[in-house]
C-alpha cells in the first residue's frame, strides 16, 4: 500500500518540477521583454520625465485679467516628480506611500507659509467601466433592481492640495480641469436606463448613482483627498505624501500637478507613475490570464497532491 | 502576516485564511462533506470578491476530497462504479452551470441568485436531515434499529431501464437516477462554488438507499472530479481561480480534515447527521438573513475586470 502511494507521489513531484522549470523560463523571457520595453529610445530626450502642459483656460472659466502682475516679470511654471516611478506589487504588497515633490520656477512668494501660490496634486488610476447597482426590496427580498454604467471611471483618484479646493479656484475652473470628486470624468455608458447624461448634472437619478459611486470608492479608500496635504517647504519647493492602498488596481497612474494663483491656473505639469506586478505575483497573473486551462489544471494538480500528502501522512500515523 | 493575492488583487491575512481552511476542513472531515457550502460564504464574508470566492473554493474541496476518498478507499468504502456514473452526470452539469454563471453575472443578479439557491437547498436538506436524525435518535434511545435500509423496498426508480448491479453498495438499480443526481450536483457546484457533498450524501442515503458507510467515500470520490472540472472551467471562462488563496485554504483544510476525521470516529451516524443538519440550517439562516434584512448600503459597484 505504501509503495502504491509513493509511486504516484514521485510522478507528481516530477510533473511539478517540470511545471516549475517552465514557469522560471517564462519568467526569464518575461523579464528580458520588460527590460527591452523599459530601455528608452535613443533619439528622445528625457524619455521618462514628466512634461509641462500648456495651460489653456477652461471653457467654463472666464479669463480674468491679472492686475497684480507687472508686465516684465517672467511667468511662473511648475515642475514635479514622484519619489517612485515604478512601484512593484509583490506578494508582500500592502499598499505604498509615494512622495510627490516639485518646485515653482520664478517663484515670487516671500516664504513657505505665505499662501501666495496654491498647488493641487491629482493622481488618477487606470479607467474602466463600472456598474453601479441599486438594491430595492421586492417580495421581501433585496434585489439589484437598477443599474447605471459609467465609462472611464478612474480606479483610483487622489486630490492633495494646499487648502480646500473651493478656496483655490471657482467651481467652474475645477470642472474645467476635472479636479475634485464631483468633477471626476465618468461617462455614463451603455443602456441609458436611469442614467443622467453629464457629470455636471444636479442630483438627478444619474447624480444619485454617481454620488454613490464616489461614496463607495471613498469608503474603500480608493478615492482620497487631503485639503492641506501639499506643503511648501521653501519659496518654491513643495511636497505631498500620498498613500496608495493595497486594493488599488495595478497599472499606470497619471499624476497632474497644478499651480494656482488668484483662482487662476498658471501652470500644469504631468508625471506618470506605474504600479507593476513583480516576481511571483506577475508570473501567476500572466499564467492565469495567458494559459487559463493549464493554470486550472495546475491548481487541480496541486490540490490533489495536497490531498494525497494528507492521506499519506495520516495513513502513516495510523500504522 | 499579510499576503497579496494575484487574482483577487487584494491583501489578506494568512492566519485568517489558514484558519478558515482548517475550520472548514475539520467539519468536512467530521461529516464527509466537501465543505464548499461553508467556505464560499466565509470567503465572501472575509471581503473577497464573490467571483473569486466561488471560483477558488472548489480547488480547496479537491484537496480535502482526495484526502478523504483515499482514507475511505483503504477501508473499502468507495463504490467506483456508482461514483463514475455520478461523475459522468456531474461533468455535464458543470458545463451547463459554468455557462449559466457567465450569463447571470452579466445581469447583475448573480449574488442574489447564489444566495437564493443556498437558502432553498440548505433549508430543505437541513430540515429533512434534522427530522430524520431526530427520529432515529429517538428510536435508538427506545432500543429500536437505527438502520436506514429497508430491504425489499421498491419505488418508482425500479421501473427505469439501464439497470446495473452495484456490488459495493449492494444495489441493483437503474443508472439513470444516479446520472441525474450527478448532473444536478455538478450544476450546483459550478453555480455555488460547492462540491455538492451536503446534497449528494443525503440524496444517496434517502433516494438511492446506498448503505451509509459507502456513501461518504463514494461521494468524496465523485466530488474530486466535479470540483476538479469546475476549477478548470472557472479558470478558463472567468479567470476567477486564485491559486495562492487556494493553496492557503488547502494547507489549513487538510490539517483540519485529519482532526475532523479523528473526532468523527467517536460519534454515531445519526448523531453526525443531526449535527450536520444543525450546521446546514445555521448557514441557511445566516445567508437568508442577509437577503431579507435591510442592507447597510443599497448601492454596490462592480468593475468590469473584478467580476
Amino acid at each position: 500500500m505504501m509503495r502504491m502511494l509513493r509511486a504516484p507521489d514521485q510522478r507528481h513531484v516530477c510533473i511539478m518540477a517540470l511545471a516549475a522549470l517552465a514557469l522560471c523560463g517564462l519568467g526569464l523571457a518575461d523579464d528580458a521583454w520588460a527590460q527591452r520595453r523599459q530601455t528608452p529610445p535613443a533619439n528622445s530626450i528625457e524619455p521618462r520625465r514628466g512634461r509641462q502642459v500648456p495651460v489653456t483656460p477652461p471653457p467654463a472659466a472666464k479669463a480674468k485679467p491679472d492686475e497684480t502682475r507687472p508686465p516684465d516679470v517672467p511667468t511662473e511654471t511648475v515642475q514635479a516628480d514622484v519619489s517612485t516611478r515604478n512601484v512593484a506589487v509583490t506578494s508582500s504588497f500592502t499598499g505604498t506611500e509615494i512622495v510627490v515633490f516639485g518646485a515653482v520656477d520664478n517663484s515670487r512668494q516671500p516664504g513657505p507659509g505665505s499662501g501666495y501660490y496654491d498647488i493641487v496634486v491629482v493622481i488618477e488610476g487606470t479607467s474602466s467601466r463600472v456598474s453601479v447597482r441599486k438594491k430595492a426590496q421586492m417580495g421581501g427580498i433585496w434585489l439589484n433592481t437598477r443599474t447605471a454604467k459609467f465609462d472611464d471611471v478612474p480606479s483610483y483618484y487622489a486630490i492633495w492640495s494646499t487648502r480646500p479646493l473651493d478656496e483655490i479656484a471657482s467651481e467652474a475652473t475645477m470642472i474645467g480641469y476635472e479636479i475634485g470628486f464631483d468633477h471626476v470624468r465618468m461617462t455614463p455608458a451603455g443602456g441609458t436606463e436611469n442614467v443622467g447624461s453629464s457629470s455636471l448634472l444636479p442630483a438627478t437619478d444619474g447624480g444619485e448613482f454617481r454620488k454613490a459611486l464616489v461614496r463607495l470608492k471613498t469608503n474603500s479608500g480608493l478615492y482620497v483627498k487631503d485639503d492641506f496635504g501639499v506643503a511648501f517647504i521653501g519659496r518654491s519647493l513643495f511636497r505631498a505624501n500620498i498613500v496608495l492602498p493595497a486594493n488599488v488596481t495595478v497599472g499606470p497612474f497619471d499624476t497632474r500637478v497644478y499651480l494656482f494663483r488668484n483662482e487662476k491656473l498658471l501652470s500644469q505639469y504631468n508625471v506618470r507613475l506605474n504600479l507593476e506586478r513583480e516576481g511571483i505575483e506577475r508570473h501567476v497573473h500572466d499564467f492565469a490570464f495567458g494559459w487559463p486551462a493549464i493554470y486550472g489544471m495546475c491548481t487541480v494538480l496541486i490540490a490533489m497532491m495536497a490531498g494525497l500528502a494528507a492521506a499519506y501522512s495520516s495513513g502513516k500515523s495510523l500504522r | 502576516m499579510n499576503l497579496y493575492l494575484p487574482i483577487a488583487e487584494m491583501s489578506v491575512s494568512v492566519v485568517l485564511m489558514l484558519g478558515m481552511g482548517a475550520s472548514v476542513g475539520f467539519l468536512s472531515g467530521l461529516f464527509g462533506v466537501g465543505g464548499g457550502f461553508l467556505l464560499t460564504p466565509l470567503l465572501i464574508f472575509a471581503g473577497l470578491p464573490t467571483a473569486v470566492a466561488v471560483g477558488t473554493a472548489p480547488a480547496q474541496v479537491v484537496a480535502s476530497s482526495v484526502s478523504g476518498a483515499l482514507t475511505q478507499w483503504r477501508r473499502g468504502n468507495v463504490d467506483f462504479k456508482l461514483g463514475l456514473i455520478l461523475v459522468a452526470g456531474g461533468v455535464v452539469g458543470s458545463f451547463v452551470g459554468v455557462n449559466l454563471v457567465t450569463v447571470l453575472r452579466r445581469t447583475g443578479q448573480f449574488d442574489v441568485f447564489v444566495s437564493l439557491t443556498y437558502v432553498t437547498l440548505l433549508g430543505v436538506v437541513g430540515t429533512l436531515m434534522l427530522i430524520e436524525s431526530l427520529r432515529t435518535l429517538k428510536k435508538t434511545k427506545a432500543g429500536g434499529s437505527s438502520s436506514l435500509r429497508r430491504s425489499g423496498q421498491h419505488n418508482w426508480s425500479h421501473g427505469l431501464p439501464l439497470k446495473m448491479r452495484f456490488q459495493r453498495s449492494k444495489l441493483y438499480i437503474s443508472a439513470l437516477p444516479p446520472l441525474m443526481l450527478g448532473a444536478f450536483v455538478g450544476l450546483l457546484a459550478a453555480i455555488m462554488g460547492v462540491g455538492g457533498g451536503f446534497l449528494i450524501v443525503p440524496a444517496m442515503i434517502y433516494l438511492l438507499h446506498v448503505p451509509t458507510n459507502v456513501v461518504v467515500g463514494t461521494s468524496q470520490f465523485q466530488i474530486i472530479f466535479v470540483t476538479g472540472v469546475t476549477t478548470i472551467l472557472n479558470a478558463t471562462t472567468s479567470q476567477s481561480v486564485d491559486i495562492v488563496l487556494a493553496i492557503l485554504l488547502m494547507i489549513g483544510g487538510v490539517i483540519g480534515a485529519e482532526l475532523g476525521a479523528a473526532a468523527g470516529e467517536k460519534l454515531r451516524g445519526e448523531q453526525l447527521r443531526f449535527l450536520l443538519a444543525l450546521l446546514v440550517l445555521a448557514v441557511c439562516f445566516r445567508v437568508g438573513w442577509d437577503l431579507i434584512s435591510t442592507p447597510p448600503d443599497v448601492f454596490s459597484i462592480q468593475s468590469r475586470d473584478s467580476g
Side-chain angles (χ1 to χ4, degrees):
Chain A
M1 176 78 82
M2 297 250 303
R3 205 168 299 145
M4 271 178 73
L5 276 172
R6 206 176 288 154
D9 227 28
Q10 275 167 355
R11 214 175 307 141
H12 281 306
V13 169
C14 286
I15 293 168
M16 280 313 291
L18 275 176
L21 259 174
L23 260 175
C24 290
L26 200 74
L28 285 175
D30 231 30
D31 287 342
W33 184 73
Q35 262 167 16
R36 209 174 316 134
R37 195 180 38 174
Q38 278 176 10
T39 315
N43 56 350
S44 77
I45 309 147
E46 299 178 333
R48 307 268 306 165
R49 288 283 292 274
R51 62 194 175 86
Q52 200 82 44
V53 179
V55 172
T56 45
K62 252 191 286 167
K64 228 197 287 178
D66 195 350
E67 306 90 17
T68 56
R69 175 181 301 281
D72 54 336
V73 172
T75 20
E76 298 93 330
T77 51
V78 67
Q79 289 186 33
D81 204 351
V82 289
S83 53
T84 326
R85 289 224 189 94
N86 284 299
V87 178
V89 176
T90 59
S91 50
S92 59
F93 182 74
T94 51
T96 187
E97 191 185 70
I98 50 161
V99 178
V100 177
F101 57 93
V104 180
D105 277 350
N106 305 319
S107 169
R108 295 194 291 135
Q109 83 174 340
S114 62
Y116 194 83
Y117 296 114
D118 282 309
I119 298 285
V120 179
V121 177
V122 173
I123 300 188
E124 252 188 59
T126 43
S127 307
S128 67
R129 170 177 286 195
V130 172
S131 303
V132 185
R133 302 206 160 95
K134 190 182 179 183
K135 279 200 173 84
Q137 210 166 12
M138 275 176 78
I141 292 170
W142 287 89
L143 288 171
N144 287 320
T145 49
R146 295 161 76 199
T147 307
K149 289 188 182 122
F150 295 94
D151 268 335
D152 309 321
V153 178
S155 57
Y156 173 86
Y157 191 91
I159 322 162
W160 255 234
S161 53
T162 42
R163 45 183 182 138
L165 290 179
D166 52 346
E167 293 175 23
I168 293 176
S170 68
E171 180 89 7
T173 309
M174 292 305 183
I175 290 170
Y177 295 118
E178 294 175 347
I179 303 173
F181 288 163
D182 297 338
H183 318 311
V184 183
R185 183 185 58 248
M186 303 177 184
T187 332
T192 44
E193 17 161 10
N194 322 311
V195 189
S197 61
S198 122
S199 57
L200 307 179
L201 270 189
T204 55
D205 256 2
E208 183 194 20
F209 280 90
R210 198 197 147 90
K211 274 206 182 101
L213 202 170
V214 170
R215 179 167 45 80
L216 288 165
K217 283 278 199 184
T218 311
N219 289 349
S220 52
L222 290 171
Y223 279 25
V224 281
K225 71 186 259 179
D226 188 340
D227 282 342
F228 301 97
V230 183
F232 271 99
I233 307 159
R235 283 183 61 228
S236 66
L237 206 63
F238 62 86
R239 62 173 280 151
N241 290 27
I242 299 177
V243 173
L244 294 176
N247 54 349
V248 82
T249 308
V250 176
F253 286 73
D254 260 334
T255 308
R256 310 197 296 267
V257 178
Y258 300 90
L259 173 67
F260 282 95
R261 161 83 185 133
N262 278 345
E263 300 208 350
K264 197 175 162 251
L265 181 68
L266 296 181
S267 177
Q268 184 188 341
Y269 198 87
N270 288 5
V271 202
R272 191 157 261 220
L273 162 77
N274 220 357
L275 234 70
E276 265 180 320
R277 289 185 187 81
E278 292 289 336
I280 296 172
E281 295 304 299
R282 160 113 156 257
H283 299 316
V284 170
H285 191 270
D286 290 353
F287 188 23
F289 282 82
W291 293 272
I294 303 170
Y295 172 82
M297 285 179 212
C298 278
T299 314
V300 173
L301 205 68
I302 291 172
M304 290 182 134
M305 281 186 45
L308 217 64
Y312 175 68
S313 67
S314 77
K316 212 160 78 171
S317 67
L318 280 177
R319 259 173 268 254
Chain B
M1 196 177 115
N2 279 301
L3 200 65
Y4 187 83
L5 302 177
I7 305 297
E9 294 207 323
M10 61 182 288
S11 186
V12 292
S13 155
V14 172
V15 178
L16 180 69
M17 291 301 135
L18 286 177
M20 270 186 187
S23 40
V24 170
F26 179 82
L27 294 169
S28 76
L30 188 62
F31 300 122
V33 295
F37 76 105
L38 286 165
L39 189 57
T40 310
L42 272 179
L43 289 175
I44 295 172
F45 193 66
L48 281 138
T50 309
V52 175
V54 171
T56 309
Q60 193 261 10
V61 179
V62 171
S64 62
S65 302
V66 166
S67 152
L70 272 171
T71 311
Q72 294 293 337
W73 169 64
R74 283 183 191 152
R75 297 177 189 154
N77 284 345
V78 179
D79 188 329
F80 285 105
K81 201 170 171 187
L82 182 60
L84 286 174
I85 287 177
L86 291 169
V87 168
V91 171
V92 177
S94 284
F95 269 103
V96 178
V98 166
N99 288 311
L100 199 62
V101 167
T102 317
V103 173
L104 283 169
R105 201 173 286 152
R106 221 173 285 145
T107 64
Q109 302 296 352
F110 183 53
D111 295 10
V112 173
F113 187 81
V114 169
S115 299
L116 274 179
T117 318
Y118 256 82
V119 171
T120 315
L121 287 174
L122 293 176
V124 170
V125 170
T127 313
L128 289 176
M129 263 169 79
L130 190 71
I131 294 169
E132 182 278 329
S133 57
L134 278 176
R135 218 177 267 162
T136 318
L137 280 173
K138 215 179 273 173
K139 223 185 271 169
T140 31
K141 216 175 251 176
S145 155
S146 70
S147 168
L148 280 166
R149 196 168 159 81
R150 278 146 289 194
S151 54
Q153 191 190 20
H154 283 257
N155 58 16
W156 58 272
S157 67
H158 286 251
L160 291 170
L162 283 169
K163 281 205 165 194
M164 290 175 108
R165 194 169 295 282
F166 298 99
Q167 277 166 351
R168 197 65 87 174
S169 310
K170 302 186 190 77
L171 283 176
Y172 181 60
I173 54 164
S174 159
L176 289 179
L179 204 63
M180 286 187 298
L181 180 64
F184 183 61
V185 170
L187 182 76
L188 291 167
I191 293 172
M192 301 164 67
V194 298
F198 75 98
L199 282 174
I200 212 161
V201 166
M204 279 163 84
I205 296 174
Y206 300 121
L207 297 177
L208 301 181
H209 302 291
V210 178
T212 314
N213 60 338
V214 184
V215 164
V216 172
T218 308
S219 99
Q220 279 173 333
F221 171 73
Q222 84 98 24
I223 287 170
I224 297 170
F225 291 90
V226 174
T227 48
V229 170
T230 310
T231 306
I232 294 171
L233 288 176
N234 276 327
T236 46
T237 55
S238 55
Q239 280 91 32
S240 57
V241 180
D242 198 307
I243 200 166
V244 177
L245 176 63
I247 290 173
L248 286 180
L249 295 172
M250 281 171 208
I251 295 171
V254 290
I255 296 167
E258 296 305 324
L259 299 174
E265 308 261 300
K266 298 191 177 79
L267 289 168
R268 282 206 316 273
E270 60 271 21
Q271 287 171 326
L272 277 174
R273 290 201 297 275
F274 173 70
L275 290 174
L276 179 60
L278 286 186
L279 179 71
V280 164
L281 285 176
V283 176
C284 167
F285 283 124
R286 177 72 186 80
V287 179
W289 174 249
D290 282 348
L291 272 178
I292 54 165
S293 67
T294 310
D297 196 333
V298 293
F299 286 99
S300 61
I301 51 175
Q302 180 190 36
S303 298
R304 190 178 36 193
D305 48 338
S306 68

